[in-house]
Amino acid sequence: SLWRMAAAEGKLIAIMGDEDTVTGFLLAGIGHRTADKSNFLVVKSDTPVPQIEHAFQDFTNRDDIGIVLINQHVANTIRHLLKDYTKTIPTVLEMPSKDSPYDPQQDYIMQRVSAMLNVET
């Protein structure tokens, strides 16, 4: 699985999402912070889009991150970056939050899989 692969290579899992989602993952042990960086971003309603964009670009260009988890409602704010993202590692996975259900039609990975398989979502 992706989790085992990331762990086996010593790579971190980054998380971008609402406070409840990020807190849950931090309590599960994925948090990592140094003096100058961390592997998580709590996105609130007043978080500026450039800050979200910067965090996404930072996480996806770091060698120590293997997976980026992002709440789908947060992903929607930076959809333009996700559509242009082509790297396999780190893998970017969208997930629901407690206030926003998951919509596979908005998930860029599901759109790519459907296009490859020529299937309607």
Side-chain angles (χ1 to χ4, degrees), residues 21-41:
T21 302
V22 173
T23 300
F25 277 94
L26 294 179
L27 289 170
I30 73 153
H32 185 263
R33 180 185 291 264
T34 63
D36 59 341
K37 61 184 176 180
S38 71
N39 66 331
F40 58 90
L41 174 68

Side-chain angles (χ1 to χ4, degrees), residues 28 39 100 111 115:
N39 66 331
S100 302
Q111 290 171 355

Side-chain angles (χ1 to χ4, degrees), residues 37-95:
K37 61 184 176 180
S38 71
N39 66 331
F40 58 90
L41 174 68
V42 175
V43 179
K44 298 181 178 182
S45 60
D46 62 347
T47 302
V49 172
Q51 183 180 354
I52 300 168
E53 292 171 337
H54 180 267
F56 177 79
Q57 290 167 335
D58 176 51
F59 293 156
T60 56
N61 286 302
R62 283 175 45 183
D63 292 333
D64 63 337
I65 292 181
I67 300 170
V68 177
L69 299 175
I70 184 169
N71 281 141
Q72 193 170 59
H73 73 278
V74 174
N76 289 337
T77 66
I78 58 165
R79 186 66 57 198
H80 57 284
L81 294 178
L82 287 168
K83 287 187 184 217
D84 294 336
Y85 185 75
T86 58
K87 292 194 264 183
T88 305
I89 304 292
T91 301
V92 178
L93 300 173
E94 294 182 31
M95 61 184 177

